[in-house]
Amino acid sequence: MTSDQYAVAVPFYDLWHEDGHVPEIREKLPPLLKGSVLEIGAGTGLVTELIADTTDGEVFALEPSLGMRSVLLSRLARRRDLLERVTVLPYGALDVDLDEPVDLIVMIAVLYAIDDRETLWATLARQLVPGGRLVFNFTERPAPAPGDEAELGSYRVGRHTYELWGRTLDVEGERVSARFRYLVRHKGVVISEDVVDTVTHRPSGDTLRAELTEAGFTPEEAPEGLLVWRLAK
Ligand SMILES: C[S@@+](CC[C@H](N)C(=O)[O-])C[C@H]1O[C@@H](n2cnc3c(N)ncnc32)[C@H](O)[C@@H]1O
């Protein structure tokens, strides 16, 4: 299965996220990494490489977008040692069905992309050993308000500037519609522009707690910004 609404974002992805959530994840995730790991929505592999460098267990990096997955595989191709035990799964989270369950599932910056969370939690629970853990990042924030476009990031790449702009279009319950513009400028003049509209889902902490409890998980201590839920034994 290929889902490539992310294709336009790929050239900007590492520039933006090396500057965003990834440094914090590099600091907070390693103590939680043990045994075999399934990573949901591995993207370009920024977190995958961290996981594989920290645990010596087998790693399954699931990524449905062809563009994102291509960068992930390029990253792994430079690391022959990791190719020995990192398997890349080319489909979405709801389609995963591992040969054997893993000790840990990691899902960073992906929750918002998935609409059918009831199926997600049930599917992930089936991929975990009894007592296995699910780790994902979550911060409760007020819903964004529709408004003006704002610059989200600007990065020099040689003679060019890569700019990312975004604005919230509409908010309805936990459903947020937004528009992103990806620009490349040369001497101030736009030489490439792509516009992508997205829909994300922003559940409250209470909603997540109720859903995960219903799915057979119990909460554990976690560093700020991460949630750790353990599957019943
Ligand atoms: C913001 S990126 C995060 C990538 C990576 N986890 C990181 O932190 O750098 C979100 C990723 O989730 C993936 N994604 C979107 N829908 C998904 C789904 N249904 N199942 C698994 N991954 C999904 C996207 O293709 C994208 O690569």
Side-chain angles (χ1 to χ4, degrees):
M1 183 181 93
T2 294
S3 140
D4 237 348
Q5 63 173 134
Y6 283 85
V8 161
V10 174
F12 293 77
Y13 193 83
D14 285 13
L15 295 168
W16 189 30
H17 290 288
E18 277 291 6
D19 191 28
H21 68 283
V22 171
E24 188 185 348
I25 295 298
R26 281 206 185 96
E27 188 189 312
K28 295 182 175 172
L29 189 61
L32 301 169
L33 296 169
K34 284 178 193 79
S36 54
V37 180
L38 166 62
E39 185 191 9
I40 299 294
T44 61
L46 291 170
V47 178
T48 317
E49 199 170 17
L50 173 73
I51 294 170
D53 278 333
T54 309
T55 172
D56 53 13
E58 196 166 0
V59 177
F60 298 90
L62 175 149
E63 175 47 57
S65 152
L66 176 60
M68 299 291 247
R69 202 167 65 244
S70 303
V71 179
L72 163 63
L73 276 152
S74 292
R75 197 182 301 279
L76 292 175
R78 294 196 308 267
R79 295 286 311 272
R80 295 277 151 181
D81 54 326
L82 300 188
L83 284 177
E84 299 290 319
R85 62 189 167 84
V86 180
T87 302
V88 176
L89 306 175
Y91 39 74
L94 305 188
D95 293 319
V96 65
D97 183 17
L98 297 176
D99 295 337
E100 301 104 34
V102 289
D103 300 306
L104 177 69
I105 296 177
V106 173
M107 189 171 73
I108 302 299
V110 180
L111 175 71
Y112 301 138
I114 300 178
D115 182 14
D116 183 359
R117 287 193 306 274
E118 188 181 346
T119 306
L120 175 70
W121 304 136
T123 305
L124 297 188
R126 285 198 300 276
Q127 315 310 314
L128 277 175
V129 297
R133 285 167 309 144
L134 165 65
V135 177
F136 60 98
N137 61 333
F138 177 76
T139 303
E140 187 130 34
R141 293 200 177 94
D148 294 339
E149 189 178 52
E151 190 180 69
L152 304 176
S154 174
Y155 305 94
R156 179 176 167 188
V157 180
R159 293 187 177 204
H160 293 166
T161 308
Y162 280 54
E163 289 174 17
L164 176 58
W165 294 77
R167 84 180 168 102
T168 301
L169 298 174
D170 188 42
V171 181
E172 211 185 305
E174 63 171 54
R175 193 175 182 279
V176 178
S177 313
R179 176 162 298 154
F180 294 94
R181 274 196 314 137
Y182 297 87
L183 300 180
V184 181
R185 289 185 198 270
H186 178 63
K187 296 182 178 170
V189 176
V190 175
I191 57 167
S192 167
E193 176 173 3
D194 287 292
V195 178
V196 182
D197 286 351
T198 65
V199 173
T200 52
H201 308 271
R202 300 186 175 261
S204 67
D206 284 347
T207 299
L208 283 178
R209 277 186 284 280
E211 291 175 0
L212 286 158
T213 303
E214 176 70 26
F217 291 88
T218 49
E220 297 212 324
E221 284 284 301
E224 202 187 328
L226 291 177
L227 297 183
V228 178
W229 286 77
R230 187 180 286 278
L231 187 65
K233 285 197 180 159

